[in-house]
Amino acid sequence: MKERVFQIVSQVLGLPLDQIHEQSSPENIEAWDSLKHMNLILALEEEFGVQFTDEKIVEMLSVKLIMEAVEELLPQVKNDSQR
Amino acid sequence: MKTLSYSQIQEELSPEKLAPLPPLNITILRNITLEPIEPYLRYLGYQMGFNVRTRFGGYDRIFQEAAGEQKDLLNEETDCVLIFLKLETLSWSLARSFPGLSLEQIEVEKERIQDFFVKVLTGIRKQTSGMILWHGFELPVYPALGIIDPQRKAGQTALIQDLNQFLRDTLQQQPNAYFVDLNTCLIRIGARNFYDLRYWHIGKAPYSREALQEIAREVFKYLRPLKGKSKKCLVLDCDHVLWGGTIGEDGLAGIKLGKTYPGSAYYEFQQEILNLYHRGVILALCSKNNEEEVWEVFQKHPEMVLQKEHIATAQINWRDKATNLQQIAADLNIGLDSLVFMDDSDFEIHLIRQTLPEVTVIPLPRDRAIEYREILASCGLFETLALSEEDRNRGMMYRAEAARKQLQRESINLESYYASLEMVLEIRFADEFSIPRIAQLTQKTNQFNLTTRRYSDADIQRLSESDSADVIYLRLRDRFGDSGIVGVCILKYEADQAILDSFLLSCRVLGRGVEEAFLIQCLKRAKLKGSKVAMGEYRPTAKNGQVKDFYLNQAFKPVGVADQVYSFQMDLTTFTRCESQFFKHIDSEIDK
């Protein structure tokens, strides 16, 4: 799951994969503006077949927070990654 | 049609693939957040063979952009301007607080909006002659007055319909400007899937990805004919496509076709095909059957909607379908990329995709015959920007062409064959009735086209009014019927030179001396205008190889080659050629 999130963040923001970290956020990535954030959310929803609430969307402002939000909606993925 | 994900699109669209394609410049003016539509526009453009470049006007700055505030947003490079004007942003009161308004307040708002339409449209037109696609207002999903709303002339729904009607009328007065009905997109998807309320609140982006994809598809229905990429011919398989079952095994009484289930799926599909025929699409058959059995269905089955007379040409035999499709394209004198092939067999679909990638292929899943009609109606491949008389009569004209070929086989001497056609040429300057067809010909003609310059209605209008240019058209009639306007020549006059800016003919009238007579007429016109030299150009494209030597064959002298453009000239001071004698009549207003 982590890999897929990194992949999408890299693709949507147009940055090489090795520049994406768990701490990556709009604070330290210039390309991550509000429009890109919208694209990011929609791409994540497509990839994982989930839907975030509006409150969650405005909070998901780092790769780490994104992964937590996805995990919340996909408990089985969480179990897989712990195994 | 399948929905593409953002990732899939990104993977498809690499800069290396896009770079060599011609640009398609789209400017988007909007009062909502609409940036997420961009990947869909780029993807659909790529599928059509273009590198889409989008420019967005500022958020809610439509009026300012129309006034020319932002340079480089609108200019002669702009192919198309998309306008998205959401009522919620433009007039909160009409959109969301309607029941509290007095009749006077409604009237004031209505007039303000109508004034806005006119000013914005005029402002955009001043900056570009590109296509304008204005998306009308969506109807309210829950009308403001509830069930009373549809009863009232002054209801919210009626008011929005009035505004859309006004917009439609205003756009119609402008060349190359069209009303796009967002409500058709909305009803296809349904309001619960069309809107994404989360991003409406977070970022004033109202539409879901599914909606944006559907809207982008709708936009490309206009861009396809604009760029001359509409398909011309629908090629159909027979068994399991035009009727259920196999005629060779089930027999005339056993195949499924009629007004009741299960034959109704095929009956409705045939009706949709016939509708396309009446919109100017050429129909052809390509099937593996015994030919006489197929025609027996056409002649004897009481529920056949399609008749033999609707079919321009057919390849019904046991050869491979790739060969047959090539034969169909050759018979009709059109390119393989003008064909759409529909078949239920995975084998045939795969074969054509592999061997003839230019042909557009639409698979018909045999177990979903009830969807055939929908699949055809939604494809958006055959759109035209106007419906001309030529479109309506095209099927008839192609049948006439087949009859001419029959006569050609019977005649031996070509001159006497041409004379037997009783051809009448009508040569005229462009006028208000012919301008749309002339523009259409410049957009659609690929093969017999010396320069392949594409012009809009507005371009042709301007050229025809200019003192330093002539727009001339050719209309052809013969004993088999009226082919309509089939040739265009644009002459531009500079000093003592006449430049053949465009010279093109529809392929179905070639090979009977018409091209030569038309050129001679145009050269006579140039001479009358006082030009001493006529300059011709050949600009090679992937499709116009057949006219490479046209000017040479017409006794022009080669001048040279520069930037892939071959130039030719003809001394008009000594030019005295006459048209061949085999025409019944040449009715010209340009040579006197």
Side-chain angles (χ1 to χ4, degrees):
Chain A
M1 192 272 295
K2 180 177 170 182
E3 272 168 35
R4 284 157 80 195
V5 170
F6 273 52
Q7 199 79 45
I8 287 170
V9 174
S10 134
Q11 197 175 39
V12 173
L13 300 182
L15 291 172
L17 203 52
D18 58 18
Q19 287 187 28
I20 312 293
H21 311 285
E22 284 202 13
Q23 302 311 322
S24 298
S25 76
E27 301 282 307
N28 51 37
I29 294 184
E30 203 182 334
W32 193 334
D33 58 17
S34 61
L35 280 171
K36 284 277 164 49
H37 188 65
M38 175 161 61
N39 279 337
L40 192 53
I41 297 298
L42 297 173
L44 288 163
E45 290 185 341
E46 273 177 353
E47 176 72 21
F48 294 102
V50 296
Q51 240 199 346
F52 305 108
T53 65
D54 51 299
E55 287 176 341
K56 195 53 97 182
I57 290 171
V58 294
E59 285 170 5
M60 293 162 63
L61 290 173
S62 76
V63 172
K64 185 161 182 288
L65 291 167
I66 286 174
M67 290 195 301
E68 286 172 12
V70 173
E71 268 175 20
E72 257 175 54
L73 294 174
L74 279 184
Q76 73 282 12
V77 173
K78 190 179 175 183
N79 293 339
D80 285 351
S81 60
Q82 281 173 347
R83 229 175 271 145
Chain B
M1 259 192 203
K2 65 175 181 188
T3 307
L4 280 168
S5 76
Y6 185 87
S7 296
Q8 285 167 324
I9 289 176
Q10 295 304 321
E11 277 159 27
E12 280 283 324
L13 297 181
S14 62
E16 305 83 65
K17 279 190 197 164
L18 291 173
L21 301 177
L24 180 66
N25 295 312
I26 302 180
T27 294
I28 298 153
L29 308 184
R30 47 43 190 283
N31 65 2
I32 48 175
T33 301
L34 204 71
E35 279 79 351
I37 200 174
E38 192 190 5
Y40 300 117
L41 295 174
R42 280 160 45 85
Y43 181 71
L44 293 171
Y46 167 69
Q47 284 194 316
M48 211 173 79
F50 288 87
N51 182 6
V52 167
R53 298 193 293 214
T54 53
R55 289 193 177 88
F56 284 85
Y59 176 87
D60 198 11
R61 299 187 68 80
I62 297 176
F63 199 86
Q64 291 89 330
E65 314 295 17
E69 195 173 75
Q70 194 178 329
K71 302 296 166 214
D72 312 335
L73 196 58
L74 298 163
N75 52 47
E76 283 313 310
E77 312 245 289
T78 309
D79 290 292
C80 177
V81 187
L82 305 181
I83 299 162
F84 288 89
L85 180 67
K86 189 127 178 81
L87 192 60
E88 273 78 355
T89 319
L90 182 68
S91 173
W92 179 259
S93 61
L94 289 186
R96 295 294 180 92
S97 64
F98 187 83
L101 298 178
S102 69
L103 284 178
E104 289 74 29
Q105 284 171 318
I106 292 172
E107 204 49 44
V108 168
E109 269 303 84
K110 193 172 163 184
E111 275 173 29
R112 178 178 74 88
I113 291 170
Q114 290 174 342
D115 187 56
F116 182 94
F117 289 160
V118 174
K119 289 206 168 85
V120 166
L121 193 59
T122 321
I124 293 171
R125 243 316 152 251
K126 272 190 194 146
Q127 298 176 72
T128 176
S129 60
M131 176 183 257
I132 296 174
L133 296 181
W134 194 314
H135 296 74
F137 297 124
E138 299 122 273
L139 293 175
V141 179
Y142 299 102
L145 302 174
I147 58 170
I148 300 170
D149 207 82
Q151 321 305 324
R152 292 219 176 161
K153 256 191 177 162
Q156 188 193 30
T157 307
L159 173 88
I160 291 174
Q161 281 166 335
D162 282 356
L163 285 171
N164 279 341
Q165 187 57 49
F166 180 87
L167 178 59
R168 194 179 277 123
D169 294 342
T170 313
L171 288 164
Q172 232 158 44
Q173 289 161 20
Q174 283 280 349
N176 209 14
Y178 300 89
F179 177 89
V180 182
D181 192 352
L182 272 186
N183 292 300
T184 57
C185 298
L186 199 160
I187 57 176
R188 282 180 211 136
I189 291 180
R192 291 198 180 93
N193 298 316
F194 194 74
Y195 298 109
D196 186 335
L197 298 177
R198 299 168 308 161
Y199 263 106
W200 168 245
H201 287 280
I202 295 173
K204 291 288 170 276
Y207 304 125
S208 70
R209 293 194 83 93
E210 200 183 348
L212 292 172
Q213 196 160 155
E214 187 64 32
I215 294 167
R217 286 215 176 98
E218 197 67 17
V219 164
F220 268 84
K221 289 181 187 173
Y222 294 78
L223 294 178
R224 185 173 282 280
L226 178 74
K227 287 293 177 185
K229 296 285 178 187
S230 283
K231 306 295 173 183
K232 294 175 182 160
C233 174
L234 176 58
V235 186
L236 296 148
D237 181 31
C238 293
D239 288 333
H240 300 292
V241 172
L242 294 185
W243 50 76
T246 312
I247 183 64
E249 289 167 20
D250 302 316
L252 198 56
I255 56 171
K256 299 184 195 94
L257 175 65
K259 292 183 194 68
T260 53
Y261 182 82
S264 51
Y266 304 93
Y267 184 87
E268 290 196 1
F269 182 51
Q270 285 202 18
Q271 183 62 59
E272 195 64 28
I273 297 168
L274 183 62
N275 291 346
L276 280 181
Y277 168 86
H278 287 302
R279 286 165 62 184
V281 175
I282 308 162
L283 304 181
L285 300 181
C286 179
S287 84
K288 288 182 174 162
N289 284 95
N290 294 323
E291 184 165 8
E292 58 279 14
E293 285 179 334
V294 167
W295 293 128
E296 198 189 359
V297 181
F298 273 79
Q299 274 145 16
K300 297 198 179 148
H301 199 290
E303 304 285 356
M304 276 296 286
V305 180
L306 291 171
Q307 299 295 308
K308 195 173 179 182
E309 67 193 56
H310 301 128
I311 308 298
T313 185
Q315 290 290 321
I316 306 170
N317 52 49
W318 301 92
R319 278 200 306 265
D320 74 277
K321 291 207 175 181
T323 307
N324 281 335
L325 283 179
Q326 282 171 321
Q327 188 59 48
I328 286 170
D331 282 353
L332 298 171
N333 213 354
I334 58 180
L336 279 168
D337 62 354
S338 293
L339 301 184
V340 175
F341 174 59
M342 287 186 126
D343 203 301
D344 66 300
S345 149
D346 290 340
F347 170 81
E348 306 293 1
I349 294 290
H350 183 72
L351 173 79
I352 301 306
R353 281 194 175 140
Q354 290 298 312
T355 56
L356 303 175
E358 309 94 317
V359 175
T360 301
V361 173
I362 301 183
L364 294 173
R366 198 185 287 186
D367 56 349
R368 284 160 47 201
I370 50 166
E371 289 171 36
Y372 285 2
R373 175 180 176 271
E374 185 92 359
I375 291 170
L376 181 57
S378 66
C379 77
L381 295 168
F382 299 103
E383 300 289 350
T384 51
L385 291 169
L387 197 56
S388 64
E389 268 313 293
E390 279 81 4
D391 292 327
R392 289 189 157 279
N393 297 329
R394 183 164 298 126
M396 201 188 67
M397 292 189 287
Y398 273 89
R399 270 204 318 288
E401 179 64 23
R404 277 180 209 110
K405 281 194 176 143
Q406 180 65 30
L407 187 61
Q408 188 167 12
R409 279 193 282 273
E410 288 163 11
S411 331
I412 296 162
N413 177 305
L414 272 184
E415 296 261 325
S416 68
Y417 162 67
Y418 293 149
S420 72
L421 291 175
E422 300 169 13
M423 288 185 279
V424 176
L425 304 184
E426 189 182 298
I427 298 167
R428 297 270 185 277
F429 295 114
D431 56 23
E432 58 176 315
F433 303 107
S434 55
I435 283 173
R437 170 63 178 165
I438 290 170
Q440 187 190 43
L441 275 173
T442 70
Q443 290 155 22
K444 283 173 67 171
T445 310
N446 298 316
Q447 299 184 68
F448 197 102
N449 193 339
L450 271 304
T451 56
T452 319
R453 293 193 169 100
R454 311 297 194 192
Y455 290 115
S456 67
D457 287 16
D459 297 330
I460 297 294
Q461 174 94 39
R462 199 167 50 238
L463 283 166
S464 70
E465 284 165 1
S466 160
D467 290 334
S468 57
D470 278 326
V471 180
I472 300 163
Y473 74 78
L474 166 75
R475 182 184 185 109
L476 174 68
R477 281 194 304 273
D478 66 16
R479 60 183 279 192
F480 298 106
D482 188 346
S483 295
I485 296 176
V486 288
V488 175
C489 174
I490 299 174
L491 286 169
K492 289 186 173 167
Y493 303 105
E494 285 177 15
D496 60 355
Q497 290 193 342
I499 296 154
L500 287 146
D501 173 85
S502 296
F503 190 83
L504 62 92
L505 281 135
S506 167
C507 279
R508 60 170 192 268
V509 301
L510 295 179
R512 44 178 131 144
V514 171
E515 53 274 39
E516 180 178 295
F518 187 41
L519 180 68
I520 290 172
Q521 277 281 320
C522 294
L523 293 176
K524 281 182 177 175
R525 166 67 187 167
K527 190 171 177 175
L528 274 176
K529 271 286 246 190
S531 300
K532 295 198 168 63
V533 181
M535 300 293 297
E537 275 179 3
Y538 166 63
R539 293 172 173 263
T541 68
K543 298 232 179 130
N544 70 354
Q546 62 166 272
V547 292
K548 181 165 58 84
D549 296 326
F550 176 67
Y551 285 128
L552 278 182
N553 296 339
Q554 297 296 328
F556 277 62
K557 293 202 172 56
V559 181
V561 191
D563 296 333
Q564 292 261 312
V565 179
Y566 297 77
S567 299
F568 304 88
Q569 68 174 37
M570 166 72 85
D571 181 358
L572 292 176
T573 56
T574 57
F575 178 79
T576 53
R577 285 178 65 194
C578 285
E579 302 84 1
S580 303
Q581 293 300 306
F582 48 72
F583 294 103
K584 188 179 174 195
H585 182 47
I586 296 179
D587 173 10
S588 169
E589 71 171 13
I590 71 166
D591 63 351
K592 44 188 94 62

